[in-house]
Amino acid sequence: MEIVNRPSPNRAVGRQNQLPDFIVCHITGGSFTSAINTITNPASQVSYHFVVSRDGTVVQAVNIRDTAWANGTTINGDNRDNKHSTIPVIRSRRRNANQYTVSIGFADSSAGELSAAQLAAGVNLVLHIRSQVKEIYGLEIPMEKSNVIGHHEITPITRPFCPGPRFPFGELLQRVNEKLSQPQNPISQPQQNIPLQQVQTPNSAPSSWAIEAWSWGKGLGLTDGTNPQGIPTREQMITLLHRYHLLKATG
């Protein structure tokens, strides 16, 4: 998929030895342009790994290897303490949730309702994230609602409506899993090497500039004279060289 890079300064390098096993969906609370301006402004102290526009454009602002500042939690008992999370695994992790999440911000979204192009881009983006996390960390994120979640499930007190009641988690995951279940394109088999004498083409005459050499090779028994303009396989080339070598060796 096509991804536009707009690096954000609002990030932490690395993940403090944490594995990103959650994909978190957000609504940006404004237009695509304002979202990009916000996450690239150092003063905002906010970022997402990715932002998806209404027309399906995808921007990456933070590398998956690094920590974006979208789902921050604390362990000091305040309203962002991860003990408030609705997800037991997150409650048990007494560390900042940014370190083990990959965040997606969906722009221009009212109550989480996505456009058709935005949803399609989101499906491809989730698959891309899954592939990248597997490649980088050897971890396969489950494509289930337990691991593709909303911001409100991490900090329900401070972000109770993100990404909104209309966010299509069910359809998103259904499409993702449908794509995962589709058979992969079969690996093409290498072309079978065909003996020289079995290769035939409609054009059985050599070009004018090659007639003399072709007659010479045919006279020596290097070729049977068929398919003069065919593309030789490696097997055929070796056979020609071997035949010539035997002729030289026998004088």
Side-chain angles (χ1 to χ4, degrees):
M1 66 178 303
E2 184 176 350
I3 297 176
V4 180
N5 286 304
R6 291 288 303 275
S8 171
N10 305 327
R11 62 185 175 87
V13 177
R15 288 184 172 274
Q16 299 295 307
N17 298 317
Q18 298 301 297
L19 298 177
D21 54 355
F22 286 93
I23 297 174
V24 186
C25 299
H26 303 252
I27 49 174
T28 65
S31 69
F32 180 66
T33 300
S34 67
I36 299 302
N37 289 340
T38 296
I39 65 177
T40 55
N41 180 1
S44 74
Q45 297 289 285
V46 172
S47 63
Y48 308 99
H49 287 94
F50 301 92
V51 179
V52 183
S53 76
R54 198 78 179 160
D55 66 4
T57 300
V58 177
V59 165
Q60 181 165 11
V62 178
N63 192 292
I64 286 177
R65 292 178 173 86
D66 294 332
T67 302
W69 297 343
N71 313 297
T73 58
T74 69
I75 55 172
N76 61 16
D78 66 7
N79 287 341
R80 291 194 301 116
D81 193 301
N82 55 14
K83 71 180 181 180
H84 299 301
S85 172
T86 61
I87 299 175
V89 172
I90 293 178
R91 289 200 300 270
S92 69
R93 294 178 181 175
R94 301 302 289 161
R95 59 187 314 124
N96 191 332
N98 281 333
Q99 296 168 356
Y100 51 83
T101 54
V102 179
S103 54
I104 305 173
F106 290 88
D108 296 292
S109 173
S110 175
E113 189 170 7
L114 306 183
S115 69
Q118 204 168 23
L119 177 58
V123 169
N124 290 331
L125 180 55
V126 167
L127 287 167
H128 171 75
I129 293 169
R130 177 182 184 272
S131 175
Q132 288 290 293
V133 168
K134 185 174 182 179
E135 179 180 331
I136 297 168
Y137 298 97
L139 171 70
E140 194 166 277
I141 301 176
M143 292 292 98
E144 301 173 2
K145 188 58 187 68
S146 58
N147 292 79
V148 180
I149 64 176
H151 191 185
H152 70 281
E153 295 173 82
I154 296 179
T155 53
I157 296 177
T158 59
R159 292 292 185 270
F161 304 113
C162 184
R166 297 179 184 172
F167 192 86
F169 282 107
E171 187 172 1
L172 176 73
L173 287 168
Q174 180 181 346
R175 291 194 189 184
V176 165
N177 285 296
E178 283 175 354
K179 286 199 171 189
L180 288 175
S181 66
Q182 293 173 356
Q184 301 300 307
N185 292 330
I187 299 174
S188 58
Q189 297 299 316
Q191 182 179 5
Q192 182 181 1
N193 292 320
I194 305 173
L196 294 176
Q197 66 273 15
Q198 295 181 17
V199 179
Q200 299 290 336
T201 65
N203 188 351
S204 59
S207 300
S208 58
W209 55 266
I211 291 176
E212 182 180 354
W214 188 257
S215 298
W216 168 82
K218 184 178 178 181
L220 290 177
L222 298 178
T223 176
D224 63 2
T226 61
N227 196 27
Q229 296 185 39
I231 299 174
T233 65
R234 288 179 295 178
E235 184 180 53
Q236 291 170 332
M237 288 297 298
I238 287 294
T239 300
L240 287 169
L241 292 171
H242 183 247
R243 289 176 181 175
Y244 184 71
H245 171 74
L246 290 177
L247 285 172
K248 294 286 289 185
T250 58

